[in-house]
């Protein structure tokens, strides 16, 4: 599974991209899904070729006059692209954990409903709430991360630590309907300022493989780059 990437034409780097002669390896990254039985999704890797990005976008290799407005330098664009790649990977993990899959659980003795409203999670990968919430905190801005942890689907926190110390998942967890594929997504960044960057990720509908561009914004905080909301 591969991820493609390119820079927005609004960036000053567009001219550099179109004229670039060096080819960097396209980002290829794999990670086993923890609970989908062997499917894989992108994991962070190296940046795609700037020359390849230009050709894949269909852009003609001609030099254009610089546009008015914010101009990001090459070092900052590289930093933004690296951050966006990692955030997209973590975003997909959070999407599965909280919204579209959840974690498997153990039944209560005799099939009883759990007294505290949470089943014990049955996972070798995730055994504490700290493991899950660390992913959320490193992916989203503080306010949105709190929303994910406390009430992402409108009926309370999906996970908590049970009285016996085990990781629990809410009894009435109902995955949201989601029929889009993240296989071979395309990433495009559009720098807005030194601390703000728009992101477009093109994924696909499972039914007919049609492209679905989804957008988000990324902001630089004291702890690094964070998404302002989840990317669906």
């Amino acid at each position: 599974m591969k991820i493609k990437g390119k820079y927005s034409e609004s960036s000053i780097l567009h001219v550099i991209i179109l004229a670039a002669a060096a080819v960097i390896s396209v980002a290829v990254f794999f990670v086993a899904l923890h609970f989908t039985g062997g499917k894989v999704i992108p994991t962070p890797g190296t940046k795609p070729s700037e020359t390849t990005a230009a050709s894949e976008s269909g852009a003609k290799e001609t030099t254009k006059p610089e546009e008015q407005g914010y101009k990001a330098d090459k070092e900052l664009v590289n930093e933004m692209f690296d951050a966006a790649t990692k955030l997209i990977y973590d975003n997909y993990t959070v999407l599965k954990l909280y919204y579209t899959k959840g974690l498997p659980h153990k039944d209560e003795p005799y099939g009883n409903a759990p007294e505290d409203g949470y089943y014990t999670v049955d996972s070798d990968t995730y055994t504490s709430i700290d493991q899950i919430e660390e992913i959320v905190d490193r992916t989203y801005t503080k306010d949105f991360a709190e929303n994910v942890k406390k009430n992402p689907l409108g009926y309370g926190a999906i996970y908590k630590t049970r009285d016996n110390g085990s990781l629990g998942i809410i009894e009435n967890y109902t995955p949201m309907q989601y029929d889009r594929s993240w296989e071979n997504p395309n990433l495009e960044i559009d720098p807005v300022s030194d601390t703000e960057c728009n992101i477009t990720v093109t994924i696909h509908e499972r039914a007919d493989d049609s492209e679905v561009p989804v957008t988000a914004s990324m902001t630089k905080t004291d702890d690094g780059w964070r998404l302002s909301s989840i990317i669906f």
Side-chain angles (χ1 to χ4, degrees), residues 53-67:
S55 61
E56 287 177 346
S57 66
K60 295 181 180 180
E61 297 190 5
T62 57
T63 302
K64 294 183 179 180
E66 291 185 3
E67 299 177 3

Side-chain angles (χ1 to χ4, degrees), residues 23-231:
V23 177
I24 309 170
S25 298
V26 174
V28 180
F29 34 84
F30 297 84
V31 62
L33 297 188
H34 302 305
F35 33 81
T36 58
K39 296 181 180 179
V40 293
I41 63 168
T43 57
T46 55
K47 293 183 293 300
S49 164
E50 292 178 338
T51 302
T52 301
S55 61
E56 287 177 346
S57 66
K60 295 181 180 180
E61 297 190 5
T62 57
T63 302
K64 294 183 179 180
E66 291 185 3
E67 299 177 3
Q68 297 298 317
Y70 174 73
K71 310 296 182 182
D73 61 34
K74 184 175 182 179
E75 182 178 357
L76 180 57
V77 169
N78 288 341
E79 176 186 323
M80 289 176 171
F81 191 90
D82 287 343
T85 301
K86 295 173 183 177
L87 290 174
I88 287 173
Y89 163 64
D90 284 337
N91 173 85
Y92 187 66
T93 299
V94 173
L95 181 62
K96 293 193 278 70
L97 285 172
Y98 283 85
Y99 296 88
T100 66
K101 294 290 183 181
L103 288 171
H105 67 266
K106 302 175 183 177
D107 290 334
E108 293 289 286
Y110 310 108
N112 293 332
E115 293 183 0
D116 62 353
Y118 286 77
Y119 288 110
T120 296
V121 166
D122 186 11
S123 170
D124 294 331
T125 302
Y126 300 104
T127 57
S128 75
I129 196 167
D130 289 342
Q131 288 176 287
I132 296 176
E133 292 189 344
E134 193 277 329
I135 301 172
V136 177
D137 289 336
R138 76 188 185 207
T139 305
Y140 306 102
T141 55
K142 188 173 183 179
D143 288 346
F144 191 79
E146 288 302 306
N147 180 68
V148 172
K149 291 185 288 186
K150 293 181 179 179
N151 193 27
L153 295 173
Y155 47 84
I158 303 301
Y159 301 99
K160 80 166 192 175
T161 300
R162 302 192 71 188
D163 291 340
N164 61 7
S166 65
L167 174 64
I169 183 170
I170 197 166
E171 176 185 5
N172 62 335
Y173 177 74
T174 305
M176 62 178 284
Q177 184 175 352
Y178 192 76
D179 296 314
R180 292 174 176 175
S181 170
W182 281 71
E183 186 162 351
N184 299 324
N186 185 84
L187 166 65
E188 180 177 1
I189 64 170
D190 179 15
V192 177
S193 71
D194 287 355
T195 58
E196 298 289 334
C197 181
N198 293 329
I199 299 172
T200 300
V201 184
T202 302
I203 53 181
H204 297 84
E205 293 287 0
R206 292 188 185 278
D208 58 8
D209 202 37
S210 59
E211 292 187 349
V212 182
V214 288
T215 60
S217 60
M218 181 176 71
T219 186
K220 192 170 187 177
T221 70
D222 291 340
D223 297 319
W225 290 95
R226 298 289 187 272
L227 296 175
S228 59
S229 63
I230 193 163
I231 305 175

